[in-house]
Amino acid sequence: MQSQHIIRNIIVETPSKPGNFAKVATAIGMAEGDIGDITTLKSGALTTIRDITITCKSKTQLDQVISNIESIDNGVKIHAVTDDVLKAHEGGKIAMKSRLDVRSLRDLQRIYTPGVASVCMEILHNPEKANYFTSIGSSVAIVTDGTAILGLGNIGPVAGMPVMEGKAVLLDQFVGLSGIPILLNTSDPDEIVETVKHIHKGFGAILLEDIGSPHCFEIEERLKAELSIPVMHDDQHGTAVVALAAILSACKATNLDIKHAKIGQIGLGAAGLAICRMLMAYGVEEVYGLDRQEAAQERLTNYGGKTSESLEAIMEKCDIIVATTGVSGLIKAEMVREGQIILALSNPNPEILPSDAIAAGAAFAADGRSVNNVIGFPGIFKGALDAGAKEITYPMLIAASLAIVKHTKPGELIPNPLDPTLHHLVARAVEEAANKEMTK
């Protein structure tokens, strides 16, 4: 299980003279705290009050940050240390709300009884109209058993609910879909598959989330085979879409032909195996994988990939390295070859810090904070639903990656995930790819 990062907001008052805030920033940096957003709450003639977001790796580090700021003295004061993350989650982040107001008897008759009966009969005689006259066509079930929540591991579905709510918020804000969390009190593949089969009629698509390896592979494959709506395990394919986009952007910047490059994938869990499969689907000729579990390596070879005998060997022979092991510091600086592209995607602590990889000679390096599946999954589901697709295929996923690359600015690895245009471009690309497949 990986360490949990701590985010706090520190309200700091400083004298309104040049250099005083720099002292605060230095005090934070000396404790290796990471400064995020800075909001000026008051700018007066004598003092300035700021709200500073700080990320720390431990409670001890946070205490050191606070101690460093307090030791500045000279009129610098801490007014409060708040946990805005917990505050943001109070009462939950989502709620089901009506799109219509009921203010009169006429309104009641239209949206409920007796008027609703005619809509029910319309759907009875034309089932496909349920996507038009109900919310089914814009609803996504976010299904989890809580066995692989972020970097926290098997903490159960209820503890993982804040993540599911977060997914729902992103689907709503970026592409206007309704995400409904479904928490399952079982990790048995048979029970999960049967449960989803029994409830799927109320949804346009199924997003499998934070379901651990290896049972996530069986669950997704069976549901894709047995349901006639899109099913996608985001930790696999959402991550793989963004990873492919990042690799393509890095190859473009370094004039490397990805299809003829040797790519090494370290860690063959849900994300790692999916990245290998995505690369092979794109046309990469040599994909090598490495994992401590022999069964994981066998899964890769069954899909047509190759394995490597050691970490040192994969670092030596591959032009592009992707790591999803969850092991902080696994890749040593001396292993990095000049000109390599390295994506150390484990969160919150990567296999090698991007700055260390660049210093050791890497042409490009990034960690999981920038290569995040939020860039892909909203648009993928929106595009699939808009097209009326029955499944999410590799041509659709590759189209999503290419749309991301097209929207990436020169010198950057991926676009800003908060850019609303990005998600609509991904959705359009996925829809077009789906329509092309359905008209073959």
Side-chain angles (χ1 to χ4, degrees):
M1 184 179 294
Q2 297 180 6
S3 62
Q4 179 183 2
H5 279 198
I6 297 173
I7 302 175
R8 294 291 185 270
N9 281 62
I10 302 179
I11 311 298
V12 180
E13 182 175 5
T14 61
S16 296
K17 294 180 181 179
N20 279 295
F21 178 70
K23 293 177 182 177
V24 174
T26 300
I28 296 168
M30 290 295 289
E32 298 186 353
D34 186 15
I35 298 177
D37 290 345
I38 302 170
T39 303
T40 300
L41 303 179
K42 172 190 173 185
S43 181
L46 298 178
T47 63
T48 300
I49 300 177
R50 296 179 176 88
D51 184 344
I52 308 169
T53 303
I54 307 292
T55 302
C56 298
K57 295 180 181 179
S58 66
K59 179 65 165 56
T60 300
Q61 188 184 49
L62 174 64
D63 291 341
Q64 187 61 57
V65 167
I66 294 170
S67 177
N68 285 1
I69 296 174
E70 289 176 336
S71 66
I72 297 172
D73 201 11
N74 195 34
V76 176
K77 301 175 184 177
I78 293 180
H79 286 287
V81 179
T82 64
D83 189 340
D84 282 12
V85 173
L86 278 179
K87 186 176 180 181
H89 288 253
E90 290 178 0
K93 303 188 293 294
I94 61 174
M96 181 175 286
K97 294 185 177 181
S98 169
R99 293 178 57 246
L100 301 174
D101 289 331
V102 182
R103 298 183 180 276
S104 66
L105 183 60
R106 179 174 176 273
D107 291 337
L108 180 62
Q109 293 171 338
R110 282 192 307 123
I111 65 102
Y112 192 47
T113 185
V116 73
S118 63
V119 186
C120 292
M121 295 306 295
E122 185 72 23
I123 295 172
L124 174 64
H125 296 302
N126 302 282
E128 71 281 356
K129 290 189 177 182
N131 287 331
Y132 184 79
F133 288 118
T134 76
S135 62
I136 291 174
S138 59
S139 296
V140 178
I142 306 171
V143 179
T144 189
D145 65 353
T147 53
I149 302 296
L150 300 177
L152 303 174
N154 185 358
I155 62 174
V158 175
M161 180 61 162
V163 179
M164 307 311 122
E165 288 189 341
K167 288 281 187 182
V169 170
L170 298 173
L171 284 169
D172 174 51
Q173 181 168 325
F174 292 147
V175 293
L177 296 179
S178 297
I180 295 91
I182 305 294
L183 309 184
L184 301 180
N185 191 30
T186 178
S187 295
D188 180 85
D190 290 335
E191 292 182 347
I192 291 177
V193 169
E194 285 304 306
T195 299
V196 175
K197 285 171 61 178
H198 286 310
I199 68 170
H200 85 278
K201 289 291 187 180
F203 305 96
I206 307 295
L207 191 167
L208 301 174
E209 178 68 20
D210 289 345
I211 298 176
S213 173
H215 66 293
C216 64
F217 302 118
E218 177 186 348
I219 291 167
E220 185 193 42
E221 288 172 4
R222 288 173 60 182
L223 286 174
K224 288 180 72 172
E226 297 182 40
L227 299 185
S228 59
I229 60 175
V231 176
M232 187 180 84
H233 184 209
D234 190 39
D235 298 301
Q236 291 187 61
H237 309 297
T239 301
V241 162
V242 183
L244 174 59
I247 294 169
L248 289 171
S249 294
C251 287
K252 184 178 180 181
T254 56
N255 296 316
L256 180 65
D257 184 349
I258 184 175
K259 292 186 178 181
H260 297 102
K262 295 180 180 179
I263 302 182
Q265 170 64 47
I266 305 170
L268 295 172
L273 181 62
I275 291 169
C276 289
R277 295 179 65 187
M278 182 72 72
L279 290 166
M280 291 186 288
Y282 185 73
V284 178
E285 297 174 355
E286 292 189 73
V287 177
Y288 297 87
L290 178 68
D291 196 279
R292 292 178 299 177
Q293 302 294 326
E294 186 175 338
Q297 299 206 144
E298 288 178 359
R299 279 192 289 271
L300 175 61
T301 57
N302 289 339
Y303 285 119
K306 304 173 183 179
T307 59
S308 184
E309 62 273 18
S310 67
L311 175 61
E312 290 76 13
I314 211 167
M315 292 296 298
E316 175 62 31
K317 67 186 172 187
C318 292
D319 308 299
I320 302 169
I321 300 294
V322 184
T324 55
T325 66
V327 181
S328 175
L330 177 67
I331 300 174
K332 309 302 179 185
E334 56 268 24
M335 297 179 180
V336 178
R337 285 198 296 108
E338 189 76 25
Q340 277 182 320
I341 294 170
I342 298 180
L343 303 181
L345 302 184
S346 292
N347 260 327
N349 303 309
E351 288 79 3
I352 184 171
L353 293 173
S355 56
D356 291 344
I358 294 293
F364 260 91
D367 59 20
R369 290 181 298 176
S370 55
V371 182
N372 192 299
N373 56 16
V374 67
I375 295 174
F377 78 84
I380 293 170
F381 276 97
K382 175 66 172 174
L385 289 171
D386 284 352
K390 303 299 183 183
E391 62 178 331
I392 295 174
T393 65
Y394 275 108
M396 294 162 68
L397 296 174
I398 290 171
S401 291
L402 295 177
I404 293 170
V405 174
K406 188 175 181 180
H407 199 61
T408 301
K409 296 178 181 178
E412 295 184 358
L413 210 55
I414 53 173
N416 183 343
L418 299 180
D419 182 351
T421 302
L422 165 68
H423 301 285
H424 292 294
L425 290 175
V426 171
R428 177 62 64 85
V430 171
E431 181 183 3
E432 290 176 354
N435 287 329
K436 187 178 295 184
E437 284 198 288
M438 290 188 291
T439 55
K440 284 182 179 179

